[in-house]
Amino acid sequence: MDFWTPKNFAKVTGGSWLAAADPDVMLSGVGTNSREIRPREAFIALKGAKFDGHDFLDAAARSGAALLIVSDEAKARAFLSSRQENAERSTGVLLVADTLAALQQLAAAYRDTLAAAGCKVIAVVGSNGKTTTRNLIHTALSSTLKGTQSPKSFNNHIGVPLTILSTRIASQPTDASPAQQATALPAGDQFVVVEVGTNHPGEIESLAQIVRPDIAVVTSIGEEHMEFFGTLDGVAREEAAILKYVKPDGAAVIEGAVMESYFQRLGLLPPHLEVVIYGRHAQSVCDFSDDPQVIQDDAAQTFTVDGGAVRVTLPLVGRYNAVNALAALCVGRRLGVQLDAMAAALARTVPVEMRLNVRRLASAAGAITIINDAYNANLASVTGAIMTLRQFALPAGGRRVAILGDMFELGAYAPDLHRSIGRTIAERDTQTWEGEPDRNHPKIHLVIFIGQLSLFAAEALAKLWSQDRIVAFPIWDDSVPAQVAALLRGGDTVLIKASRGMKLERLLPAIEEKFR
């Protein structure tokens, strides 16, 4: 039975028909946003805390949805009684017990279809670097293979199944006309890279049962969502849950420090799992051939692999992104992609939005460099971002400025972890890190803290630094962007880093206005 038939959707979800769908239609995909539904797709009416997809059944039908999957029978019947004699008349309505569960059931079933078609599924987990590593894997593999990846950070209980269901195989229908389909069927995806995230214990395992990866990549273990995981060992156990669901002939690609510090010590590796280790560690299989030489500037970094035979130029800042690129090379090598082809592709990498994105602005007020890393933050990623800022060379009279906001979901650990940020900045200000262009002090000239939790970092730093190098805004209001912009001057290199809930990108318009 073809997966993309209404009849099969009813079978997989255990649903019942309120209005039968056209038995001859071949569905072209699934969607959960009525504004983005395309012809012949199935619309799944999800319910959230602030929305209910059942309120948009008519909009989805008018957009061409061939099937509506619902759980609110009353709203579905109201739609059926009010719809007009037009194209939406042919829209099928399938009643299920839970639309989110139906979405996940469909994704789990489609995973079997992908396996039968030979499409490889790569899952990326870890406390830091998931999105960039996922993008690097997709970039490297695309040098030779056809594939797709999670859009943005689709890494939760909704985004993961949508990513699986968006993967195309040769027999899946497209939006092309019947005549076009008859002459040019799509080649189909040979791989999909799925980002898998977690906020609470058990979420990785739940998603892993859907994904069942051919290759699982573990990037890092750090202080994420400590409010729920309690300890770093708890984080490690959560991330390691993906390993139990790697396909029997698959492999795990694990960063060396994660392997040595957590997975081996805690006994988290399933027996007989093939493991590839990458990074800067003695046991690493995929390593920098000229360790520790990674040549960097303010726009890219270069390193070699395969005993120096292959040189990789990565147009990303942040030393740890070179390690993330090693993960991509290990995945590609496992799938038979040549290193030189992947290196050429990685040289064309496009940075992911708000992940160490570098912009330079110039105006009468002077030139300024912005390092936008405002998508998310925890202790390890903030420390890494500060290291990256310190590695930027400065023009005469220039300063390095760190704008740091709150880190969230740390529970009782929040005060101490924020204090740790303050101490780290001060303690390492007297140290020289490998690869830094400027051997003179200070390494960071000014730190601007934003948010209530960041006060703990400011207080810790104030015990070790002079007060004129620290500015704190405990509460966000509409005046903060202008005040922050006023503190900046031409020649500055500015890092912006915080948890997603802080939305520190709101600072950018005021900064851009000053340096336009």
Side-chain angles (χ1 to χ4, degrees):
M1 178 185 295
D2 193 292
F3 179 85
W4 294 99
T5 65
K7 181 179 180 180
N8 188 50
F9 272 39
K11 179 181 178 181
V12 170
T13 62
S16 57
W17 293 107
L18 296 181
D22 181 348
D24 296 324
V25 73
M26 289 289 289
L27 301 170
S28 61
V30 301
T32 59
N33 187 333
S34 63
R35 293 171 296 183
E36 298 175 358
I37 285 292
R38 294 174 294 183
R40 293 189 297 110
E41 285 189 333
F43 172 68
I44 303 179
L46 298 179
K47 290 185 177 182
K50 298 181 179 179
F51 68 90
D52 184 352
H54 295 85
D55 295 332
F56 304 98
L57 299 179
D58 183 71
R62 290 181 181 276
S63 294
L67 175 63
L68 307 176
I69 300 178
V70 302
S71 59
D72 189 323
E73 184 172 358
K75 288 186 177 180
R77 290 196 180 279
F79 159 75
L80 289 170
S81 65
S82 64
R83 66 180 180 178
Q84 303 297 312
E85 293 283 351
N86 54 26
E88 72 186 45
R89 191 70 180 167
S90 63
T91 303
V93 181
L94 182 65
L95 179 66
V96 299
D98 184 313
T99 49
L100 176 59
L103 171 64
Q104 295 170 346
Q105 290 165 344
L106 288 167
Y110 191 54
R111 174 64 181 93
D112 295 331
T113 301
L114 295 179
C119 180
K120 300 299 184 183
V121 178
I122 301 108
V124 182
V125 303
S127 300
N128 299 295
K130 290 189 297 297
T131 300
T132 297
T133 301
R134 178 255 296 164
N135 186 51
L136 290 170
I137 293 170
H138 179 265
T139 299
L141 297 185
S142 295
S143 66
T144 305
L145 306 174
K146 183 176 185 292
T148 188
Q149 63 175 320
S150 302
K152 299 183 180 179
S153 290
F154 270 36
N155 62 19
N156 64 7
H157 58 295
I158 297 173
V160 168
L162 285 174
T163 298
I164 292 291
L165 288 164
S166 69
T167 307
R168 292 188 174 274
I169 58 176
S171 61
Q172 183 175 343
T174 70
D175 290 332
S177 69
Q180 291 171 321
Q181 291 185 49
T183 58
L185 285 173
D189 289 323
Q190 297 166 288
F191 72 89
V192 56
V193 192
V194 184
E195 183 177 332
V196 181
T198 180
N199 292 321
H200 295 80
E203 289 185 347
I204 292 285
E205 179 149 15
S206 176
L207 294 173
Q209 293 177 55
I210 297 172
V211 174
R212 287 167 279 149
D214 295 286
I215 300 175
V217 179
V218 186
T219 63
S220 62
I221 299 297
E223 293 84 352
E224 61 167 337
H225 312 296
M226 300 298 284
E227 180 179 359
F228 309 109
F229 296 123
T231 65
L232 285 173
D233 284 358
V235 175
R237 290 188 178 92
E238 173 69 9
E239 300 291 357
I242 193 78
L243 303 180
K244 294 186 294 183
Y245 296 91
V246 175
K247 303 282 272 188
D249 58 347
V253 176
I254 303 174
E255 196 277 328
V258 172
M259 184 71 170
E260 296 168 10
S261 300
Y262 296 100
F263 286 10
Q264 289 178 332
R265 177 175 60 84
L266 297 173
L268 297 177
L269 295 173
H272 312 303
L273 177 68
E274 181 179 346
V275 175
V276 177
I277 304 171
Y278 71 95
R280 294 179 171 276
H281 299 272
Q283 300 180 30
S284 298
V285 174
C286 193
D287 206 338
F288 299 106
S289 62
D290 55 349
D291 185 37
Q293 296 300 317
V294 176
I295 302 171
Q296 309 180 75
D297 59 29
D298 294 350
Q301 49 197 313
T302 301
F303 57 92
T304 61
V305 292
D306 196 25
V310 178
R311 179 170 297 277
V312 180
T313 298
L314 189 68
L316 302 177
V317 299
R319 194 178 188 85
Y320 46 83
N321 278 328
V323 179
N324 293 336
L326 287 182
L329 295 174
C330 288
V331 171
R333 188 160 64 176
R334 169 77 186 184
L335 295 180
V337 182
Q338 296 298 310
L339 282 174
D340 55 354
M342 291 190 286
L346 290 174
R348 300 187 295 271
T349 298
V350 178
V352 181
E353 185 180 11
M354 291 197 291
R355 271 85 166 187
L356 291 178
N357 293 160
V358 179
R359 285 182 64 196
R360 291 176 173 83
L361 306 173
S363 71
I368 189 170
T369 298
I370 304 292
I371 309 169
N372 182 356
D373 200 29
Y375 189 82
N376 220 336
N378 57 30
L379 179 60
S381 69
V382 172
T383 302
I386 290 169
M387 176 185 290
T388 299
L389 173 62
R390 287 173 43 138
Q391 291 166 345
F392 271 65
L394 295 175
R399 304 176 302 170
R400 297 185 187 92
V401 180
I403 304 176
L404 306 177
D406 292 351
M407 302 180 293
F408 291 149
E409 295 186 351
L410 299 175
Y413 295 85
D416 282 345
L417 289 175
H418 282 83
R419 291 187 187 104
S420 179
I421 293 295
R423 290 193 296 268
T424 296
I425 293 171
E427 291 166 1
R428 298 194 179 185
D429 198 51
T430 60
Q431 302 171 1
T432 297
W433 292 349
E434 177 191 336
E436 290 187 335
D438 183 3
R439 300 283 171 170
N440 299 318
H441 300 301
K443 301 299 182 181
I444 306 293
H445 299 77
L446 175 67
V447 183
I448 301 170
F449 293 103
I450 301 176
Q452 289 284 334
L453 292 172
S454 291
L455 285 179
F456 292 107
E459 291 167 0
L461 184 57
K463 295 178 181 178
L464 302 166
W465 264 22
S466 60
Q467 294 286 345
D468 62 348
R469 296 171 65 190
I470 304 167
V471 179
F473 296 92
I475 299 174
W476 178 279
D477 61 41
D478 292 343
S479 69
V480 168
Q483 293 184 70
V484 169
L487 295 169
L488 306 179
R489 66 193 190 204
D492 286 350
T493 296
V494 182
L495 168 70
I496 302 176
K497 180 74 172 172
S499 279
R500 180 82 301 267
M502 291 297 294
K503 299 180 180 178
L504 281 196
E505 67 273 15
R506 292 179 292 176
L507 296 171
L508 291 174
I511 297 173
E512 292 166 353
E513 178 66 26
K514 178 175 180 178
F515 293 93
R516 179 180 297 171

